[in-house]
C-alpha cells in the first residue's frame, strides 16, 4: 500500500500536528507520498525543517496541465469523461467557469465560490492523478475537507482508488462546498475529537456512524521529562502559545485574567505568538 496525502499547503508552521503525523507514519514504515496544492512561504521555518524528511510534489507549480489531460483522455476516456461530467453536475452556486479559469491562470484574487469550483478542481486534478498513478499510489487521503478533499475525490474517481478525508475544525464548522459529496464518497473520515464525530453523525444521519473515526493529535511524551511542579509560592502561572487570531481565543484568556485580578488571585500569564490581533490584545492587557 502506498498512501498519497493531499495537503493545501505543506509544510506550514501553524500545522505542525500534520507534519508530526506524516513523520510518525513514515517512521512506522508506511510508504507515503505527499502532494501539496501550493508551496509554503520560502521563509517558513517549517519548510526548512521538513526539506530533508519528505519528498513533496507541489501540484500547481510542478505539474503540466495540457499534456496531462491529453494523456488521461487517451488512456482512460471513460473515466475522464465520467469524472468531467460529475464535476460539471456537482458544482454548487456555479459561476462562469471561463471567468474562474482566467482568474486562476492570471493569478488574480478569487472568491470562495470560485476557489471551490469543482470543475476548476477537475481541470487541476487530472495532472495530479497522472502523477499519483506514476508514483504507484493505492490509497488517497486529504488533510482538511476543503479543496484538498475535492482533489482527493476527483483523483480517486479518475484512478478508481479509495480515498479518505481527515477533517479538523474550520473545514467542519464553516460552510464548505460539496461537503456531502466528499463525505459520501470517502471510504472513511478521520477527525480529531469525539465532539467532531458526534457533529458529523448528527449532521449526516444517513451515513453509517462507523464511517467516522476519532484520531487524536498528540505529542511524543518520551521527549519530555517531568519537573518538580510543587508551587514555590501562591502565584498561578499560565502559558498560552498560538497565532494571534480570533479563533484562538486569546481575548477570552485575557478576560479570564481580569477576573483573577478582580478576585485578588495572584497570577502571571505569558502569551507567545504573533498575528494581526497583536495590537488589540496588547491594548486589552494594558486596560
Amino acid at each position: 500500500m502506498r498512501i498519497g496525502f493531499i495537503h493545501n499547503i505543506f509544510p506550514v508552521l501553524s500545522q505542525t500536528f500534520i507534519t508530526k503525523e506524516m513523520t510518525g507514519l513514515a517512521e512506522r514504515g508506511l510508504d507515503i507520498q505527499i502532494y501539496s496544492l501550493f508551496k509554503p512561504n520560502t521563509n517558513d521555518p517549517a519548510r526548512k525543517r521538513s526539506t530533508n524528511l519528505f519528498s513533496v510534489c507541489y501540484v500547481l507549480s510542478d505539474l503540466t496541465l495540457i499534456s496531462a489531460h491529453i494523456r488521461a483522455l487517451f488512456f482512460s476516456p471513460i473515466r475522464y469523461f465520467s469524472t468531467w461530467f460529475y464535476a460539471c453536475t456537482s458544482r454548487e452556486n456555479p459561476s462562469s467557469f471561463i471567468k474562474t479559469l482566467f482568474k486562476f491562470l492570471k493569478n488574480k484574487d478569487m472568491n470562495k465560490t470560485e476557489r471551490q469550483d469543482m470543475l476548476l478542481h477537475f481541470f487541476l486534478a487530472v495532472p495530479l492523478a497522472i502523477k499519483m498513478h506514476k508514483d504507484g499510489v493505492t490509497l488517497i487521503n486529504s488533510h482538511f475537507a476543503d479543496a484538498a478533499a475535492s482533489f482527493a475525490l476527483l483523483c480517486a474517481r479518475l484512478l478508481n482508488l479509495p480515498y479518505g478525508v481527515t477533517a479538523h475544525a474550520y473545514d467542519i464548522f464553516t460552510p464548505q462546498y460539496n461537503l456531502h459529496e466528499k463525505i459520501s464518497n470517502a471510504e472513511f473520515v478521520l477527525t480529531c475529537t469525539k465532539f467532531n464525530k458526534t457533529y458529523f453523525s448528527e449532521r449526516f444521519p444517513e451515513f453509517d456512524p462507523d464511517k467516522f473515526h476519532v484520531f487524536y493529535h498528540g505529542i511524543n511524551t518520551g521527549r519530555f521529562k517531568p519537573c518538580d511542579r510543587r508551587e514555590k509560592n501562591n502565584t498561578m502561572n499560565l502559558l498560552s502559545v498560538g497565532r494571534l487570531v480570533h479563533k484562538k481565543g486569546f481575548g477570552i484568556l485575557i478576560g479570564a485574567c481580569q477576573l483573577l485580578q478582580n478576585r485578588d488571585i495572584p497570577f502571571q500569564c505569558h502569551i507567545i505568538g504573533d498575528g494581526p490581533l497583536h495590537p488589540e490584545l496588547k491594548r486589552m492587557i494594558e486596560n
Side-chain angles (χ1 to χ4, degrees):
M1 179 173 65
R2 188 164 210 217
I3 309 172
F5 284 94
I6 302 178
H7 303 270
N8 291 297
I9 305 177
F10 182 89
V12 183
L13 183 61
S14 62
Q15 296 174 5
T16 52
F17 56 94
I18 293 179
T19 304
K20 288 177 181 177
E21 179 185 334
M22 298 297 100
T23 304
L25 292 175
E27 289 176 347
R28 286 177 175 269
L30 287 177
D31 189 5
I32 67 175
Q33 174 61 45
I34 296 176
Y35 304 92
S36 177
L37 301 183
F38 297 95
K39 283 187 175 182
N41 189 309
T42 55
N43 296 322
D44 192 322
R47 181 177 182 179
K48 299 175 182 178
R49 196 176 303 123
S50 302
T51 301
N52 299 324
L53 295 178
F54 305 102
S55 171
V56 183
C57 171
Y58 293 104
V59 178
L60 301 184
S61 58
D62 294 351
L63 304 181
T64 55
L65 294 172
I66 304 302
S67 60
H69 278 263
I70 295 173
R71 184 175 179 182
L73 182 59
F74 178 79
F75 284 107
S76 186
I78 295 178
R79 283 189 196 149
Y80 180 91
F81 281 114
S82 66
T83 306
W84 169 80
F85 181 77
Y86 175 83
C88 289
T89 56
S90 299
R91 300 172 75 201
E92 294 186 3
N93 300 322
S95 56
S96 169
F97 174 67
I98 300 300
K99 181 180 177 181
T100 299
L101 182 60
F102 177 80
K103 279 188 173 183
F104 172 78
L105 295 175
K106 293 294 184 179
N107 199 27
K108 293 185 176 182
D109 290 337
M110 303 166 66
N111 60 40
K112 184 173 183 178
T113 300
E114 293 168 332
R115 291 196 309 271
Q116 297 209 24
D117 189 324
M118 185 72 83
L119 191 54
L120 176 64
H121 291 174
F122 168 77
F123 181 72
L124 302 173
V126 170
L128 175 56
I130 294 291
K131 183 68 168 64
M132 285 185 165
H133 178 71
K134 182 180 178 181
D135 292 341
V137 168
T138 58
L139 173 67
I140 302 171
N141 191 80
S142 73
H143 259 288
F144 292 101
D146 50 12
S150 181
F151 275 75
L153 185 160
L154 294 170
C155 288
R157 289 182 68 95
L158 288 165
L159 299 174
N160 193 29
L161 291 177
Y163 80 93
V165 175
T166 300
H168 296 279
Y170 99 93
D171 52 331
I172 301 175
F173 303 109
T174 61
Q176 299 293 331
Y177 287 93
N178 300 102
L179 182 59
H180 187 278
E181 293 292 317
K182 297 167 187 174
I183 300 301
S184 175
N185 290 278
E187 291 289 317
F188 57 86
V189 177
L190 305 178
T191 190
C192 47
T193 67
K194 289 182 179 179
F195 182 89
N196 290 357
K197 178 179 179 178
T198 301
Y199 177 83
F200 270 128
S201 298
E202 292 175 350
R203 182 174 177 182
F204 301 111
E206 65 273 27
F207 298 141
D208 185 347
D210 291 337
K211 188 185 191 98
F212 306 103
H213 303 269
V214 177
F215 180 73
Y216 291 115
H217 302 309
I219 57 174
N220 179 7
T221 55
R223 294 180 57 196
F224 303 93
K225 295 182 179 180
C227 61
D228 185 358
R229 293 190 176 276
R230 288 175 295 181
E231 293 186 1
K232 302 297 189 299
N233 50 50
N234 293 326
T235 301
M236 181 186 302
N237 291 294
L238 307 174
L239 171 67
S240 189
V241 184
R243 286 179 293 143
L244 305 185
V245 295
H246 280 290
K247 67 179 181 179
K248 297 301 181 182
F250 286 107
I252 298 174
L253 172 62
I254 295 170
C257 288
Q258 184 175 22
L259 294 178
L260 293 175
Q261 187 177 46
N262 293 342
R263 297 173 186 176
D264 294 325
I265 299 176
F267 73 93
Q268 287 186 343
C269 179
H270 299 272
I271 297 176
I272 298 176
D274 200 2
L277 291 186
H278 186 277
E280 179 180 335
L281 296 175
K282 188 175 180 181
R283 283 194 298 269
M284 287 183 65
I285 294 171
E286 291 172 351
N287 292 336

